[in-house]
Amino acid sequence: SYELTQPPSVPVSPGHTARITCSGDALPKKYVFWYQQKSGQAPVLVIYDDNKRPSGIPERFSGSSSGTMATLTISGAQVDDEADYYCYSADTSGKRVFGTGTKVTVL
Amino acid sequence: EVQLVESGGDLVKPGGSLRLSCAASGFIFSNALMNWVRQAPGKGLEWVGRIKPRSEGETTDYAAPVTGRFTISRDDSNNTLFLQLNNLKPEDTGLYYCVTGVLILDGAWITDYWGQGTLVAVSS
């Protein structure tokens, strides 16, 4: 089955930049979404269609995609950004899939 | 204000069935693509399936692990989404979320919406 691979963890110091990657063979032809999930809460959409920010999401969140890899960048990370992050896309048949998830630790 | 309220989760034995519901409000439900997503305890997110709006034929898609066992349907007259779960297995245990597709509200507010989830536990 199709998989989207993410690094298990990404540490970042406050005020610095965190980059989370998502790798998948179908990414050149499929949009990528990114979700933030804090402990005990429902996920929140932070990027859709590769690089668009939903309403209410801070500008420090940005997305890009090139070839088989998509990247979520958190510029000037804040303690409040500590969470699990998941990419979300589709395989070549259109079935949706979530990435393996990345824990971002801000310290 | 958009609200999604799931219900119907329960403890069931392997091989059993459940029907989950998601009551929607605050947007035009009949025009919306709707998804079910689940999360096993301490694990990542897993897409379960989706249903398109009537204007797109109400077509459904399912993840491989649930194909043939789960069925998604919708009642646009009552703004409700359903997930029928049959032949349940222990690995189906988790929190089941109802999720909209990306919505554009009031012409400018763009995002998707998640409910708080309903818990399904499959155990003998």
Side-chain angles (χ1 to χ4, degrees), chain B residues 38-111:
Chain B
R38 68 184 181 184
Q39 188 167 33
K43 302 296 185 183
L45 300 171
E46 181 182 19
W47 178 76
V48 172
R50 66 175 184 171
I51 185 167
K52 293 183 178 180
R54 178 172 290 187
S55 61
E56 296 180 43
E58 284 192 20
T59 55
T60 52
D61 294 291
Y62 300 94
V66 308
T67 298
R69 300 188 298 123
F70 291 8
T71 302
I72 299 173
S73 60
R74 62 193 301 158
D75 178 353
D76 289 345
S77 62
N78 288 300
N79 293 340
T80 303
L81 178 71
F82 300 103
L83 178 64
Q84 178 68 39
L85 299 79
N86 295 332
N87 189 21
L88 281 160
K89 305 176 180 181
E91 53 264 39
D92 296 319
T93 293
L95 190 61
Y96 283 69
Y97 293 103
C98 164
V99 187
T100 71
V102 174
L103 302 178
I104 303 174
L105 301 178
D106 298 327
W109 189 264
I110 303 173
T111 190

Side-chain angles (χ1 to χ4, degrees), chain A residues 3-76:
Chain A
E3 290 186 351
L4 295 174
T5 302
Q6 300 179 231
S9 63
V10 169
V12 62
S13 300
H16 288 236
T17 296
R19 293 182 180 85
I20 306 160
T21 58
C22 173
S23 177
D25 289 341
L27 293 188
K29 296 184 178 180
K30 300 295 183 183
Y31 282 125
V32 175
F33 291 48
W34 288 93
Y35 287 93
Q36 175 195 69
Q37 186 179 32
K38 297 181 180 178
S39 181
Q41 298 183 20
V44 172
L45 182 66
V46 294
I47 292 290
Y48 70 100
D49 289 356
D50 289 347
N51 54 20
K52 298 181 174 63
R53 236 181 352 265
S55 303
I57 299 302
E59 291 184 7
R60 63 180 182 275
F61 290 92
S62 63
S64 63
S65 187
S66 178
T68 59
M69 185 169 289
T71 303
L72 173 69
T73 300
I74 309 174
S75 304

Side-chain angles (χ1 to χ4, degrees), chain B residues 4-54:
Chain B
L4 298 170
V5 180
E6 301 95 336
S7 61
D10 204 348
L11 172 62
V12 295
K13 289 181 167 45
S17 296
L18 276 178
R19 190 190 198 202
L20 308 184
S21 299
C22 170
S25 61
F27 64 103
I28 303 175
F29 179 78
S30 60
N31 290 347
L33 178 148
M34 297 296 298
N35 297 273
W36 285 99
V37 173
R38 68 184 181 184
Q39 188 167 33
K43 302 296 185 183
L45 300 171
E46 181 182 19
W47 178 76
V48 172
R50 66 175 184 171
I51 185 167
K52 293 183 178 180
R54 178 172 290 187

